PDB file of all heavy atoms in Angstrom:
ATOM      1  N   THR A   1       0.865  -1.249  -0.008  1.00  0.00           N
ATOM      2  CA  THR A   1       0.000  -0.025   0.053  1.00  0.00           C
ATOM      3  C   THR A   1       0.782   1.349  -0.003  1.00  0.00           C
ATOM      4  O   THR A   1       0.278   2.426   0.053  1.00  0.00           O
ATOM      5  CB  THR A   1      -0.952  -0.002   1.228  1.00  0.00           C
ATOM      6  OG1 THR A   1      -0.198  -0.191   2.373  1.00  0.00           O
ATOM      7  CG2 THR A   1      -1.920  -1.144   1.177  1.00  0.00           C
ATOM      8  N   ASN A   2       2.091   1.113  -0.062  1.00  0.00           N
ATOM      9  CA  ASN A   2       3.073   2.269  -0.162  1.00  0.00           C
ATOM     10  C   ASN A   2       4.060   2.194  -1.185  1.00  0.00           C
ATOM     11  O   ASN A   2       4.995   3.071  -1.227  1.00  0.00           O
ATOM     12  CB  ASN A   2       3.752   2.347   1.226  1.00  0.00           C
ATOM     13  CG  ASN A   2       2.976   2.935   2.360  1.00  0.00           C
ATOM     14  OD1 ASN A   2       2.801   4.121   2.634  1.00  0.00           O
ATOM     15  ND2 ASN A   2       2.297   1.946   3.109  1.00  0.00           N
ATOM     16  N   LEU A   3       3.955   1.323  -2.200  1.00  0.00           N
ATOM     17  CA  LEU A   3       4.880   1.187  -3.234  1.00  0.00           C
ATOM     18  C   LEU A   3       5.004   2.402  -4.141  1.00  0.00           C
ATOM     19  O   LEU A   3       3.962   2.904  -4.557  1.00  0.00           O
ATOM     20  CB  LEU A   3       4.554  -0.096  -4.085  1.00  0.00           C
ATOM     21  CG  LEU A   3       5.083  -1.458  -3.581  1.00  0.00           C
ATOM     22  CD1 LEU A   3       4.543  -2.449  -4.647  1.00  0.00           C
ATOM     23  CD2 LEU A   3       6.628  -1.503  -3.622  1.00  0.00           C
ATOM     24  N   PRO A   4       6.166   2.907  -4.399  1.00  0.00           N
ATOM     25  CA  PRO A   4       6.342   3.847  -5.359  1.00  0.00           C
ATOM     26  C   PRO A   4       6.458   3.220  -6.724  1.00  0.00           C
ATOM     27  O   PRO A   4       6.199   2.059  -6.868  1.00  0.00           O
ATOM     28  CB  PRO A   4       7.679   4.480  -4.971  1.00  0.00           C
ATOM     29  CG  PRO A   4       8.384   3.491  -4.320  1.00  0.00           C
ATOM     30  CD  PRO A   4       7.467   2.615  -3.697  1.00  0.00           C
ATOM     31  N   VAL A   5       6.914   3.944  -7.797  1.00  0.00           N
ATOM     32  CA  VAL A   5       7.282   3.364  -9.174  1.00  0.00           C
ATOM     33  C   VAL A   5       8.355   2.240  -8.883  1.00  0.00           C
ATOM     34  O   VAL A   5       9.536   2.663  -8.290  1.00  0.00           O
ATOM     35  CB  VAL A   5       7.715   4.329 -10.155  1.00  0.00           C
ATOM     36  CG1 VAL A   5       8.062   3.757 -11.374  1.00  0.00           C
ATOM     37  CG2 VAL A   5       6.525   5.355 -10.357  1.00  0.00           C
ATOM     38  N   THR A   6       8.126   1.007  -9.152  1.00  0.00           N
ATOM     39  CA  THR A   6       8.991  -0.069  -8.784  1.00  0.00           C
ATOM     40  C   THR A   6       9.101  -1.124  -9.963  1.00  0.00           C
ATOM     41  O   THR A   6       8.159  -1.379 -10.672  1.00  0.00           O
ATOM     42  CB  THR A   6       8.363  -0.787  -7.556  1.00  0.00           C
ATOM     43  OG1 THR A   6       8.163   0.163  -6.589  1.00  0.00           O
ATOM     44  CG2 THR A   6       9.262  -1.875  -7.075  1.00  0.00           C
ATOM     45  N   PRO A   7      10.312  -1.707 -10.227  1.00  0.00           N
ATOM     46  CA  PRO A   7      10.510  -2.632 -11.214  1.00  0.00           C
ATOM     47  C   PRO A   7       9.538  -3.942 -10.974  1.00  0.00           C
ATOM     48  O   PRO A   7       9.147  -4.214  -9.838  1.00  0.00           O
ATOM     49  CB  PRO A   7      11.896  -3.084 -10.988  1.00  0.00           C
ATOM     50  CG  PRO A   7      12.610  -1.954 -10.412  1.00  0.00           C
ATOM     51  CD  PRO A   7      11.577  -1.404  -9.429  1.00  0.00           C
ATOM     52  N   LEU A   8       9.182  -4.661 -12.026  1.00  0.00           N
ATOM     53  CA  LEU A   8       8.151  -5.646 -11.880  1.00  0.00           C
ATOM     54  C   LEU A   8       8.679  -6.861 -11.033  1.00  0.00           C
ATOM     55  O   LEU A   8       7.855  -7.356 -10.137  1.00  0.00           O
ATOM     56  CB  LEU A   8       8.004  -6.291 -13.263  1.00  0.00           C
ATOM     57  CG  LEU A   8       7.005  -7.432 -13.460  1.00  0.00           C
ATOM     58  CD1 LEU A   8       5.689  -7.141 -12.891  1.00  0.00           C
ATOM     59  CD2 LEU A   8       6.995  -8.058 -14.817  1.00  0.00           C
ATOM     60  N   TRP A   9      10.051  -7.094 -10.996  1.00  0.00           N
ATOM     61  CA  TRP A   9      10.547  -8.241 -10.254  1.00  0.00           C
ATOM     62  C   TRP A   9      10.407  -7.924  -8.665  1.00  0.00           C
ATOM     63  O   TRP A   9      10.061  -8.892  -8.043  1.00  0.00           O
ATOM     64  CB  TRP A   9      11.960  -8.622 -10.633  1.00  0.00           C
ATOM     65  CG  TRP A   9      12.913  -7.469 -10.244  1.00  0.00           C
ATOM     66  CD1 TRP A   9      13.400  -6.473 -10.988  1.00  0.00           C
ATOM     67  CD2 TRP A   9      13.719  -7.527  -9.028  1.00  0.00           C
ATOM     68  NE1 TRP A   9      14.293  -5.740 -10.364  1.00  0.00           N
ATOM     69  CE2 TRP A   9      14.642  -6.355  -9.093  1.00  0.00           C
ATOM     70  CE3 TRP A   9      13.807  -8.340  -7.951  1.00  0.00           C
ATOM     71  CZ2 TRP A   9      15.510  -6.009  -8.127  1.00  0.00           C
ATOM     72  CZ3 TRP A   9      14.675  -7.965  -6.860  1.00  0.00           C
ATOM     73  CH2 TRP A   9      15.541  -6.853  -6.930  1.00  0.00           C
ATOM     74  N   ILE A  10      10.605  -6.761  -8.340  1.00  0.00           N
ATOM     75  CA  ILE A  10      10.368  -6.500  -6.972  1.00  0.00           C
ATOM     76  C   ILE A  10       8.836  -6.560  -6.591  1.00  0.00           C
ATOM     77  O   ILE A  10       8.439  -7.086  -5.453  1.00  0.00           O
ATOM     78  CB  ILE A  10      10.895  -5.086  -6.585  1.00  0.00           C
ATOM     79  CG1 ILE A  10      12.404  -4.917  -6.843  1.00  0.00           C
ATOM     80  CG2 ILE A  10      10.516  -4.626  -5.172  1.00  0.00           C
ATOM     81  CD1 ILE A  10      13.005  -3.582  -6.502  1.00  0.00           C
ATOM     82  N   VAL A  11       8.060  -6.103  -7.446  1.00  0.00           N
ATOM     83  CA  VAL A  11       6.426  -6.141  -7.225  1.00  0.00           C
ATOM     84  C   VAL A  11       6.119  -7.599  -7.089  1.00  0.00           C
ATOM     85  O   VAL A  11       5.328  -8.051  -6.206  1.00  0.00           O
ATOM     86  CB  VAL A  11       5.699  -5.486  -8.422  1.00  0.00           C
ATOM     87  CG1 VAL A  11       4.318  -5.771  -8.197  1.00  0.00           C
ATOM     88  CG2 VAL A  11       5.981  -4.025  -8.379  1.00  0.00           C
ATOM     89  N   LEU A  12       6.631  -8.438  -7.970  1.00  0.00           N
ATOM     90  CA  LEU A  12       6.346  -9.960  -7.891  1.00  0.00           C
ATOM     91  C   LEU A  12       6.779 -10.632  -6.637  1.00  0.00           C
ATOM     92  O   LEU A  12       6.027 -11.391  -6.011  1.00  0.00           O
ATOM     93  CB  LEU A  12       6.949 -10.599  -9.134  1.00  0.00           C
ATOM     94  CG  LEU A  12       6.387 -10.525 -10.495  1.00  0.00           C
ATOM     95  CD1 LEU A  12       7.181 -11.036 -11.484  1.00  0.00           C
ATOM     96  CD2 LEU A  12       5.035 -11.074 -10.411  1.00  0.00           C
ATOM     97  N   ILE A  13       8.007 -10.179  -6.154  1.00  0.00           N
ATOM     98  CA  ILE A  13       8.329 -10.755  -4.902  1.00  0.00           C
ATOM     99  C   ILE A  13       7.401 -10.389  -3.746  1.00  0.00           C
ATOM    100  O   ILE A  13       7.042 -11.255  -3.000  1.00  0.00           O
ATOM    101  CB  ILE A  13       9.891 -10.371  -4.573  1.00  0.00           C
ATOM    102  CG1 ILE A  13      10.897 -10.965  -5.609  1.00  0.00           C
ATOM    103  CG2 ILE A  13      10.259 -10.743  -3.128  1.00  0.00           C
ATOM    104  CD1 ILE A  13      12.289 -10.514  -5.560  1.00  0.00           C
ATOM    105  N   ASN A  14       7.123  -9.172  -3.678  1.00  0.00           N
ATOM    106  CA  ASN A  14       6.324  -8.606  -2.594  1.00  0.00           C
ATOM    107  C   ASN A  14       4.811  -9.108  -2.574  1.00  0.00           C
ATOM    108  O   ASN A  14       4.274  -9.580  -1.757  1.00  0.00           O
ATOM    109  CB  ASN A  14       6.295  -7.045  -2.714  1.00  0.00           C
ATOM    110  CG  ASN A  14       5.426  -6.551  -1.520  1.00  0.00           C
ATOM    111  OD1 ASN A  14       5.732  -6.513  -0.388  1.00  0.00           O
ATOM    112  ND2 ASN A  14       4.177  -5.993  -1.870  1.00  0.00           N
ATOM    113  N   SER A  15       4.332  -9.082  -3.859  1.00  0.00           N
ATOM    114  CA  SER A  15       2.882  -9.654  -4.109  1.00  0.00           C
ATOM    115  C   SER A  15       2.840 -11.027  -3.818  1.00  0.00           C
ATOM    116  O   SER A  15       1.824 -11.557  -3.232  1.00  0.00           O
ATOM    117  CB  SER A  15       2.349  -9.254  -5.463  1.00  0.00           C
ATOM    118  OG  SER A  15       3.101  -9.985  -6.413  1.00  0.00           O
ATOM    119  N   THR A  16       3.815 -11.913  -4.229  1.00  0.00           N
ATOM    120  CA  THR A  16       3.766 -13.299  -3.789  1.00  0.00           C
ATOM    121  C   THR A  16       3.830 -13.544  -2.354  1.00  0.00           C
ATOM    122  O   THR A  16       3.115 -14.353  -1.857  1.00  0.00           O
ATOM    123  CB  THR A  16       4.940 -14.035  -4.585  1.00  0.00           C
ATOM    124  OG1 THR A  16       4.807 -13.788  -6.033  1.00  0.00           O
ATOM    125  CG2 THR A  16       4.953 -15.423  -4.375  1.00  0.00           C
ATOM    126  N   ALA A  17       4.655 -12.779  -1.626  1.00  0.00           N
ATOM    127  CA  ALA A  17       4.710 -12.926  -0.234  1.00  0.00           C
ATOM    128  C   ALA A  17       3.490 -12.502   0.325  1.00  0.00           C
ATOM    129  O   ALA A  17       3.041 -13.220   1.360  1.00  0.00           O
ATOM    130  CB  ALA A  17       5.904 -12.081   0.365  1.00  0.00           C
ATOM    131  N   PHE A  18       2.807 -11.452  -0.132  1.00  0.00           N
ATOM    132  CA  PHE A  18       1.573 -11.023   0.391  1.00  0.00           C
ATOM    133  C   PHE A  18       0.549 -12.114   0.276  1.00  0.00           C
ATOM    134  O   PHE A  18      -0.240 -12.432   1.200  1.00  0.00           O
ATOM    135  CB  PHE A  18       1.050  -9.750  -0.410  1.00  0.00           C
ATOM    136  CG  PHE A  18      -0.197  -9.225  -0.049  1.00  0.00           C
ATOM    137  CD1 PHE A  18      -0.367  -8.382   1.005  1.00  0.00           C
ATOM    138  CD2 PHE A  18      -1.364  -9.655  -0.690  1.00  0.00           C
ATOM    139  CE1 PHE A  18      -1.626  -7.806   1.377  1.00  0.00           C
ATOM    140  CE2 PHE A  18      -2.634  -9.158  -0.310  1.00  0.00           C
ATOM    141  CZ  PHE A  18      -2.822  -8.267   0.625  1.00  0.00           C
ATOM    142  N   PHE A  19       0.337 -12.731  -0.862  1.00  0.00           N
ATOM    143  CA  PHE A  19      -0.743 -13.733  -1.126  1.00  0.00           C
ATOM    144  C   PHE A  19      -0.375 -15.025  -0.187  1.00  0.00           C
ATOM    145  O   PHE A  19      -1.369 -15.527   0.344  1.00  0.00           O
ATOM    146  CB  PHE A  19      -0.673 -14.239  -2.553  1.00  0.00           C
ATOM    147  CG  PHE A  19      -1.380 -13.283  -3.498  1.00  0.00           C
ATOM    148  CD1 PHE A  19      -0.774 -12.584  -4.470  1.00  0.00           C
ATOM    149  CD2 PHE A  19      -2.838 -12.977  -3.286  1.00  0.00           C
ATOM    150  CE1 PHE A  19      -1.519 -11.733  -5.317  1.00  0.00           C
ATOM    151  CE2 PHE A  19      -3.599 -12.105  -4.116  1.00  0.00           C
ATOM    152  CZ  PHE A  19      -2.879 -11.533  -5.099  1.00  0.00           C
ATOM    153  N   ILE A  20       0.934 -15.378  -0.132  1.00  0.00           N
ATOM    154  CA  ILE A  20       1.173 -16.596   0.795  1.00  0.00           C
ATOM    155  C   ILE A  20       0.786 -16.300   2.231  1.00  0.00           C
ATOM    156  O   ILE A  20       0.196 -17.150   2.806  1.00  0.00           O
ATOM    157  CB  ILE A  20       2.749 -16.875   0.676  1.00  0.00           C
ATOM    158  CG1 ILE A  20       2.978 -17.441  -0.675  1.00  0.00           C
ATOM    159  CG2 ILE A  20       2.986 -17.955   1.781  1.00  0.00           C
ATOM    160  CD1 ILE A  20       4.455 -17.645  -1.053  1.00  0.00           C
ATOM    161  N   LEU A  21       1.213 -15.286   2.735  1.00  0.00           N
ATOM    162  CA  LEU A  21       1.024 -14.945   4.196  1.00  0.00           C
ATOM    163  C   LEU A  21      -0.293 -14.507   4.555  1.00  0.00           C
ATOM    164  O   LEU A  21      -0.866 -15.022   5.579  1.00  0.00           O
ATOM    165  CB  LEU A  21       2.056 -13.905   4.592  1.00  0.00           C
ATOM    166  CG  LEU A  21       3.520 -14.236   4.464  1.00  0.00           C
ATOM    167  CD1 LEU A  21       4.483 -12.880   4.634  1.00  0.00           C
ATOM    168  CD2 LEU A  21       3.999 -15.260   5.482  1.00  0.00           C
ATOM    169  N   VAL A  22      -0.968 -13.661   3.737  1.00  0.00           N
ATOM    170  CA  VAL A  22      -2.371 -13.194   4.054  1.00  0.00           C
ATOM    171  C   VAL A  22      -3.297 -14.339   4.052  1.00  0.00           C
ATOM    172  O   VAL A  22      -4.221 -14.481   4.839  1.00  0.00           O
ATOM    173  CB  VAL A  22      -2.718 -11.976   3.272  1.00  0.00           C
ATOM    174  CG1 VAL A  22      -4.242 -11.672   3.384  1.00  0.00           C
ATOM    175  CG2 VAL A  22      -1.959 -10.736   3.466  1.00  0.00           C
ATOM    176  N   SER A  23      -3.271 -15.180   2.948  1.00  0.00           N
ATOM    177  CA  SER A  23      -4.065 -16.273   2.784  1.00  0.00           C
ATOM    178  C   SER A  23      -3.726 -17.410   3.787  1.00  0.00           C
ATOM    179  O   SER A  23      -4.571 -18.214   4.263  1.00  0.00           O
ATOM    180  CB  SER A  23      -4.098 -16.844   1.356  1.00  0.00           C
ATOM    181  OG  SER A  23      -2.905 -17.280   0.927  1.00  0.00           O
ATOM    182  N   GLY A  24      -2.349 -17.628   4.104  1.00  0.00           N
ATOM    183  CA  GLY A  24      -1.920 -18.571   4.917  1.00  0.00           C
ATOM    184  C   GLY A  24      -2.443 -18.443   6.376  1.00  0.00           C
ATOM    185  O   GLY A  24      -2.543 -19.515   7.020  1.00  0.00           O
ATOM    186  N   ARG A  25      -2.749 -17.255   6.780  1.00  0.00           N
ATOM    187  CA  ARG A  25      -3.293 -17.132   8.075  1.00  0.00           C
ATOM    188  C   ARG A  25      -4.624 -17.842   8.326  1.00  0.00           C
ATOM    189  O   ARG A  25      -4.910 -18.266   9.465  1.00  0.00           O
ATOM    190  CB  ARG A  25      -3.529 -15.571   8.302  1.00  0.00           C
ATOM    191  CG  ARG A  25      -2.374 -14.707   8.315  1.00  0.00           C
ATOM    192  CD  ARG A  25      -2.883 -13.245   8.401  1.00  0.00           C
ATOM    193  NE  ARG A  25      -3.992 -13.009   7.438  1.00  0.00           N
ATOM    194  CZ  ARG A  25      -4.925 -12.209   7.451  1.00  0.00           C
ATOM    195  NH1 ARG A  25      -5.036 -11.385   8.505  1.00  0.00           N
ATOM    196  NH2 ARG A  25      -5.818 -11.974   6.535  1.00  0.00           N
ATOM    197  N   MET A  26      -5.309 -17.992   7.296  1.00  0.00           N
ATOM    198  CA  MET A  26      -6.605 -18.484   7.336  1.00  0.00           C
ATOM    199  C   MET A  26      -6.612 -20.030   7.704  1.00  0.00           C
ATOM    200  O   MET A  26      -7.604 -20.545   8.288  1.00  0.00           O
ATOM    201  CB  MET A  26      -7.382 -18.297   5.935  1.00  0.00           C
ATOM    202  CG  MET A  26      -7.786 -17.029   5.728  1.00  0.00           C
ATOM    203  SD  MET A  26      -8.980 -16.320   6.826  1.00  0.00           S
ATOM    204  CE  MET A  26     -10.334 -17.237   6.554  1.00  0.00           C
ATOM    205  N   ILE A  27      -5.536 -20.700   7.437  1.00  0.00           N
ATOM    206  CA  ILE A  27      -5.474 -22.140   7.596  1.00  0.00           C
ATOM    207  C   ILE A  27      -5.489 -22.388   9.063  1.00  0.00           C
ATOM    208  O   ILE A  27      -6.297 -23.190   9.676  1.00  0.00           O
ATOM    209  CB  ILE A  27      -4.302 -22.755   7.000  1.00  0.00           C
ATOM    210  CG1 ILE A  27      -4.426 -22.608   5.458  1.00  0.00           C
ATOM    211  CG2 ILE A  27      -4.047 -24.241   7.267  1.00  0.00           C
ATOM    212  CD1 ILE A  27      -3.129 -22.978   4.595  1.00  0.00           C
ATOM    213  N   PRO A  28      -4.449 -21.988  10.042  1.00  0.00           N
ATOM    214  CA  PRO A  28      -4.535 -22.181  11.319  1.00  0.00           C
ATOM    215  C   PRO A  28      -5.824 -21.489  12.031  1.00  0.00           C
ATOM    216  O   PRO A  28      -6.399 -21.902  12.969  1.00  0.00           O
ATOM    217  CB  PRO A  28      -3.277 -21.561  11.949  1.00  0.00           C
ATOM    218  CG  PRO A  28      -2.753 -20.558  10.785  1.00  0.00           C
ATOM    219  CD  PRO A  28      -3.263 -21.178   9.500  1.00  0.00           C
ATOM    220  N   ALA A  29      -6.197 -20.269  11.564  1.00  0.00           N
ATOM    221  CA  ALA A  29      -7.367 -19.536  12.046  1.00  0.00           C
ATOM    222  C   ALA A  29      -8.627 -20.441  11.936  1.00  0.00           C
ATOM    223  O   ALA A  29      -9.351 -20.529  12.974  1.00  0.00           O
ATOM    224  CB  ALA A  29      -7.514 -18.162  11.287  1.00  0.00           C
ATOM    225  N   MET A  30      -8.877 -20.960  10.745  1.00  0.00           N
ATOM    226  CA  MET A  30     -10.136 -21.818  10.713  1.00  0.00           C
ATOM    227  C   MET A  30     -10.047 -23.060  11.513  1.00  0.00           C
ATOM    228  O   MET A  30     -11.004 -23.525  12.030  1.00  0.00           O
ATOM    229  CB  MET A  30     -10.334 -22.178   9.165  1.00  0.00           C
ATOM    230  CG  MET A  30     -10.733 -20.941   8.297  1.00  0.00           C
ATOM    231  SD  MET A  30     -12.262 -20.047   8.965  1.00  0.00           S
ATOM    232  CE  MET A  30     -13.449 -21.315   9.109  1.00  0.00           C
ATOM    233  N   ALA A  31      -8.749 -23.590  11.567  1.00  0.00           N
ATOM    234  CA  ALA A  31      -8.689 -24.747  12.445  1.00  0.00           C
ATOM    235  C   ALA A  31      -9.013 -24.485  13.918  1.00  0.00           C
ATOM    236  O   ALA A  31      -9.692 -25.304  14.617  1.00  0.00           O
ATOM    237  CB  ALA A  31      -7.247 -25.333  12.279  1.00  0.00           C
ATOM    238  N   ILE A  32      -8.493 -23.262  14.409  1.00  0.00           N
ATOM    239  CA  ILE A  32      -8.824 -22.861  15.708  1.00  0.00           C
ATOM    240  C   ILE A  32     -10.267 -22.684  16.018  1.00  0.00           C
ATOM    241  O   ILE A  32     -10.980 -23.058  16.905  1.00  0.00           O
ATOM    242  CB  ILE A  32      -7.996 -21.577  16.051  1.00  0.00           C
ATOM    243  CG1 ILE A  32      -6.539 -21.920  16.020  1.00  0.00           C
ATOM    244  CG2 ILE A  32      -8.469 -20.985  17.366  1.00  0.00           C
ATOM    245  CD1 ILE A  32      -5.594 -20.689  16.069  1.00  0.00           C
ATOM    246  N   VAL A  33     -10.917 -21.794  15.127  1.00  0.00           N
ATOM    247  CA  VAL A  33     -12.322 -21.443  15.247  1.00  0.00           C
ATOM    248  C   VAL A  33     -13.254 -22.581  15.094  1.00  0.00           C
ATOM    249  O   VAL A  33     -14.281 -22.779  15.810  1.00  0.00           O
ATOM    250  CB  VAL A  33     -12.739 -20.465  14.011  1.00  0.00           C
ATOM    251  CG1 VAL A  33     -14.271 -20.287  14.057  1.00  0.00           C
ATOM    252  CG2 VAL A  33     -11.974 -19.093  14.415  1.00  0.00           C
ATOM    253  N   SER A  34     -12.865 -23.653  14.292  1.00  0.00           N
ATOM    254  CA  SER A  34     -13.762 -24.848  13.987  1.00  0.00           C
ATOM    255  C   SER A  34     -13.981 -25.645  15.330  1.00  0.00           C
ATOM    256  O   SER A  34     -14.914 -26.384  15.341  1.00  0.00           O
ATOM    257  CB  SER A  34     -13.173 -25.646  12.884  1.00  0.00           C
ATOM    258  OG  SER A  34     -11.993 -26.333  13.211  1.00  0.00           O
ATOM    259  N   GLN A  35     -12.981 -25.537  16.173  1.00  0.00           N
ATOM    260  CA  GLN A  35     -13.134 -26.551  17.416  1.00  0.00           C
ATOM    261  C   GLN A  35     -13.597 -25.670  18.638  1.00  0.00           C
ATOM    262  O   GLN A  35     -13.439 -26.199  19.802  1.00  0.00           O
ATOM    263  CB  GLN A  35     -11.699 -27.193  17.595  1.00  0.00           C
ATOM    264  CG  GLN A  35     -10.520 -26.270  17.709  1.00  0.00           C
ATOM    265  CD  GLN A  35     -10.411 -25.480  18.995  1.00  0.00           C
ATOM    266  OE1 GLN A  35     -10.425 -26.091  20.049  1.00  0.00           O
ATOM    267  NE2 GLN A  35     -10.202 -24.289  18.795  1.00  0.00           N
ATOM    268  N   VAL A  36     -14.183 -24.431  18.466  1.00  0.00           N
ATOM    269  CA  VAL A  36     -14.698 -23.789  19.450  1.00  0.00           C
ATOM    270  C   VAL A  36     -15.935 -24.425  20.026  1.00  0.00           C
ATOM    271  O   VAL A  36     -16.303 -24.409  21.178  1.00  0.00           O
ATOM    272  CB  VAL A  36     -15.017 -22.215  19.103  1.00  0.00           C
ATOM    273  CG1 VAL A  36     -15.906 -21.566  20.082  1.00  0.00           C
ATOM    274  CG2 VAL A  36     -13.777 -21.544  18.900  1.00  0.00           C
ATOM    275  N   VAL A  37     -16.652 -25.193  19.094  1.00  0.00           N
ATOM    276  CA  VAL A  37     -18.026 -25.797  19.467  1.00  0.00           C
ATOM    277  C   VAL A  37     -17.910 -27.297  19.130  1.00  0.00           C
ATOM    278  O   VAL A  37     -17.049 -27.775  18.426  1.00  0.00           O
ATOM    279  CB  VAL A  37     -19.145 -25.168  18.631  1.00  0.00           C
ATOM    280  CG1 VAL A  37     -19.326 -23.706  18.989  1.00  0.00           C
ATOM    281  CG2 VAL A  37     -18.905 -25.330  17.158  1.00  0.00           C
ATOM    282  N   ASP A  38     -18.871 -27.971  19.799  1.00  0.00           N
ATOM    283  CA  ASP A  38     -19.037 -29.474  19.515  1.00  0.00           C
ATOM    284  C   ASP A  38     -19.669 -29.550  18.156  1.00  0.00           C
ATOM    285  O   ASP A  38     -20.341 -28.654  17.631  1.00  0.00           O
ATOM    286  CB  ASP A  38     -19.848 -29.990  20.561  1.00  0.00           C
ATOM    287  CG  ASP A  38     -19.864 -31.579  20.618  1.00  0.00           C
ATOM    288  OD1 ASP A  38     -18.835 -32.131  20.312  1.00  0.00           O
ATOM    289  OD2 ASP A  38     -20.894 -32.082  20.821  1.00  0.00           O
ATOM    290  N   ASN A  39     -19.397 -30.779  17.596  1.00  0.00           N
ATOM    291  CA  ASN A  39     -19.895 -30.931  16.127  1.00  0.00           C
ATOM    292  C   ASN A  39     -21.424 -30.905  15.979  1.00  0.00           C
ATOM    293  O   ASN A  39     -21.891 -30.653  14.980  1.00  0.00           O
ATOM    294  CB  ASN A  39     -19.357 -32.386  15.744  1.00  0.00           C
ATOM    295  CG  ASN A  39     -20.060 -33.600  16.421  1.00  0.00           C
ATOM    296  OD1 ASN A  39     -20.527 -33.461  17.494  1.00  0.00           O
ATOM    297  ND2 ASN A  39     -20.003 -34.698  15.691  1.00  0.00           N
ATOM    298  N   LYS A  40     -22.245 -31.169  17.080  1.00  0.00           N
ATOM    299  CA  LYS A  40     -23.737 -31.084  16.930  1.00  0.00           C
ATOM    300  C   LYS A  40     -24.242 -29.748  16.699  1.00  0.00           C
ATOM    301  O   LYS A  40     -25.382 -29.675  16.067  1.00  0.00           O
ATOM    302  CB  LYS A  40     -24.309 -31.732  18.144  1.00  0.00           C
ATOM    303  CG  LYS A  40     -23.919 -31.033  19.481  1.00  0.00           C
ATOM    304  CD  LYS A  40     -24.275 -31.955  20.626  1.00  0.00           C
ATOM    305  CE  LYS A  40     -23.726 -31.395  21.868  1.00  0.00           C
ATOM    306  NZ  LYS A  40     -23.668 -32.541  22.991  1.00  0.00           N
TER     307      LYS A  40
END
């Protein structure tokens, strides 16, 4: 959200890390939330 004019290869490195980490949070988060209640 603060990138100035930047070469494509730097943008690719940052955007790829963004997708991995931001979406990756959801995996442990959903596992944690799913066991708050009993299956019934």
Side-chain angles (χ1 to χ4, degrees):
T1 54
N2 285 273
L3 272 176
V5 176
T6 306
L8 177 63
W9 67 273
I10 296 178
V11 172
L12 281 173
I13 292 173
N14 180 73
S15 61
T16 300
F18 177 90
F19 281 117
I20 290 174
L21 297 168
V22 170
S23 63
R25 301 170 308 152
M26 290 296 295
I27 297 170
M30 290 309 303
I32 293 166
V33 169
S34 70
Q35 50 78 50
V36 167
V37 297
D38 190 39
N39 67 336
K40 55 199 169 197

